[in-house]
Amino acid sequence: MTISFIDLKAQQEQIKPQIEAAIARVLAHGKYILGPEVSELEAQLAEFCGARFALTCASGTDALLLALMAKGIGPGDAVFVPSFTFVATAEVVVLLNATPVFVDVDVDTFLMDVQSLKAAVETAGKQGLTPKAVIPVDLFGQPADYVQIQEIADTFELIVVGDAAQSFGATRAGKRVGTLAPITATSFYPPKPLGCYGDGGAAFTDDETVIDLLRSLRVHGQGSNKYDNVRIGINGRMDTMQAAILLEKLSIFEDEIAARQRVADRYNDALADIAQTPVVAAGSSSVWAQYTIRLKNRAHVAAQLKESGVPTAIYYPIPLHHQAAYQGFPTAPGGLPVSEQLAGEVLSLPMHPYLNEKTQEAIIEALKSICLTPIKKRNT
Ligand SMILES: *Cc1c(COP(=O)(O)O)cnc(C)c1O
């Protein structure tokens, strides 16, 4: 039996004829850029999450970049980001010549630590920066604590841009991702919970001024027409082909979210005694972009699992404030001990909606036999 970490083939088999027909329709009408599927997808994405507006774009990174551009982030501005995240969260800040300030995360949920955020905002001002925005990250599929973060944002007049690249479809306090922050960015990179067959992303907002700016920025800062350029923008459009594929994938996404939860539940039940299993905040749901456990002896367990044919991954082995390109930027006072600890302990297990019980049982058995043996030895 070969075990996939993420099985995109199994998903394709569910909807292969529909995907082929959707691609054929695009080839027939030939509107490869901003064709009808793009606006149809934007309408369906907005409806899916309950946001007033959705704007598709070329990637999750572009969605974040466009959001910051729409808010005029630039030199001298401090933008608060977690260190324990994918590099794009901080990269877009640097691309706009603003300063990322790294904030620690909570040891249980892996989400931005609001105390660390507050302390970082208070010290940024003393370092001559203007605290301007915060990018909470919905790491591994569950939404950040937007209620508490918004309170801090209100106090210090920060703009909140949600990095929901891993969490589209998840909820917090009964609201879906896309409506939890004034602007939300997501990604449709293939292995994300909702992925296309290439790069893609989207931004969500209820604010009409913001959506107008995003639309203009996505196409070179255009004004009333293509050759009227009123601001500096980018070429950040999603291809019609990707939109057509995503429309078909969106039609089975609710079922896939439920299937992901069943897989997570089975892991939770089986692994609670042998590893630190993921913690989802009360009142939240996760779409399980990753199922990530914590282990003190990670290197040993990962190597043994590999030998048993179980693929694993480490998200993320080096926190951003230790990366060569980012180590010069400020961090929250007191440092980022949790981000550093997690980087040494986390291990992500195979997770996708089509992980069947038999395969999952094999993964669990392999993990149990590796973890239980040394622990028992140590105790006697
Ligand atoms: C994937 C990801 C991004 C970037 O999305 P792309 O579509 O690959 O550009 C940004 N932030 C986080 C947290 C991600 O996981």
Side-chain angles (χ1 to χ4, degrees):
M1 157 164 53
T2 28
I3 301 177
S4 315
F5 186 69
I6 291 178
D7 194 345
L8 294 176
K9 234 55 271 127
Q11 182 198 48
Q12 194 185 113
E13 261 140 42
Q14 305 288 314
I15 46 169
K16 203 168 177 115
Q18 292 92 313
I19 296 254
E20 284 172 352
I23 291 172
R25 281 194 297 273
V26 177
L27 291 176
H29 69 53
K31 297 187 182 92
Y32 303 123
I33 300 295
L34 298 183
E37 285 83 355
V38 173
S39 34
E40 175 60 28
L41 177 64
E42 287 172 348
Q44 287 197 23
L45 288 171
E47 197 194 322
F48 183 90
C49 69
R52 200 163 153 219
F53 305 109
L55 177 110
T56 57
C57 57
S59 67
T61 306
D62 274 1
L64 286 167
L65 181 65
L66 289 165
L68 296 184
M69 288 172 85
K71 285 296 178 181
I73 304 298
D77 293 339
V79 179
F80 302 89
V81 298
S83 179
F84 192 61
T85 178
F86 181 63
V87 66
T89 316
E91 180 183 41
V92 291
V93 177
V94 182
L95 282 173
L96 295 174
N97 296 310
T99 304
V101 178
F102 292 111
V103 170
D104 214 359
V105 294
D106 179 78
V107 72
D108 292 318
T109 61
F110 313 147
L111 301 172
M112 184 179 267
D113 178 329
V114 288
Q115 294 313 320
S116 176
L117 169 64
K118 192 155 178 270
V121 177
E122 282 165 351
T123 47
K126 292 177 200 145
Q127 294 164 326
L129 297 164
T130 310
K132 201 63 179 278
V134 52
I135 310 181
V137 175
D138 303 347
L139 205 72
F140 303 151
Q142 76 161 314
D145 188 349
Y146 288 99
V147 171
Q148 284 204 63
I149 288 168
Q150 191 64 53
E151 273 175 27
I152 293 172
D154 289 344
T155 308
F156 296 97
E157 293 179 50
L158 303 176
I159 296 147
V160 182
V161 174
D163 182 344
Q166 303 182 6
S167 67
F168 190 66
T171 61
R172 186 158 186 132
K175 288 167 77 181
R176 246 186 174 151
V177 164
T179 66
L180 296 171
I183 312 180
T184 303
T186 196
S187 165
F188 305 121
Y189 178 67
K192 303 280 159 120
L194 178 63
C196 49
Y197 289 154
D199 277 311
F204 300 88
T205 185
D206 286 349
D207 185 328
E208 199 151 7
T209 311
V210 170
I211 194 72
D212 287 346
L213 283 168
L214 291 172
R215 270 195 200 111
S216 165
L217 290 163
R218 177 177 68 173
V219 191
H220 305 291
Q222 82 174 22
S224 54
N225 70 67
K226 210 170 170 178
Y227 300 106
D228 174 30
N229 307 108
V230 296
R231 57 182 63 82
I232 305 296
I234 62 170
N235 173 2
R237 298 169 299 227
M238 172 184 280
D239 298 347
T240 307
M241 204 69 97
Q242 296 305 334
I245 290 161
L246 273 171
L247 279 167
E248 299 310 322
K249 292 217 191 185
L250 188 59
S251 71
I252 56 165
F253 189 44
E254 291 285 11
D255 292 340
E256 291 190 340
I257 293 172
R260 283 174 178 279
Q261 186 58 50
R262 285 194 293 275
V263 172
D265 288 341
R266 293 202 293 262
Y267 272 142
N268 287 340
D269 290 344
L271 302 179
D273 294 337
I274 59 164
Q276 191 71 47
T277 52
V279 176
V280 175
S284 290
S285 72
S286 175
V287 288
W288 301 103
Q290 302 298 338
Y291 186 91
T292 303
I293 58 173
R294 285 166 51 204
L295 298 157
K296 293 291 176 201
N297 53 346
R298 178 182 66 190
H300 167 73
V301 174
Q304 295 286 111
L305 281 173
K306 192 174 176 201
E307 244 168 60
S308 320
V310 178
T312 59
I314 296 171
Y315 302 111
Y316 296 91
I318 307 171
L320 294 187
H321 70 287
H322 285 172
Q323 299 275 355
Y326 293 89
Q327 56 197 3
F329 294 110
T331 54
L336 310 178
V338 178
S339 300
E340 287 163 18
Q341 179 192 344
L342 291 176
E345 294 181 357
V346 288
L347 187 70
S348 299
L349 302 179
M351 164 54 80
H352 59 84
Y354 306 100
L355 185 56
N356 64 47
E357 276 183 64
K358 188 162 157 274
T359 311
Q360 197 177 0
E361 204 46 51
I363 297 166
I364 289 164
E365 284 316 310
L367 194 55
K368 276 187 172 166
S369 75
I370 298 160
C371 289
L372 288 178
T373 323
I375 286 170
K376 272 185 187 149
K377 265 186 208 152
R378 267 203 303 272
N379 290 345
T380 49

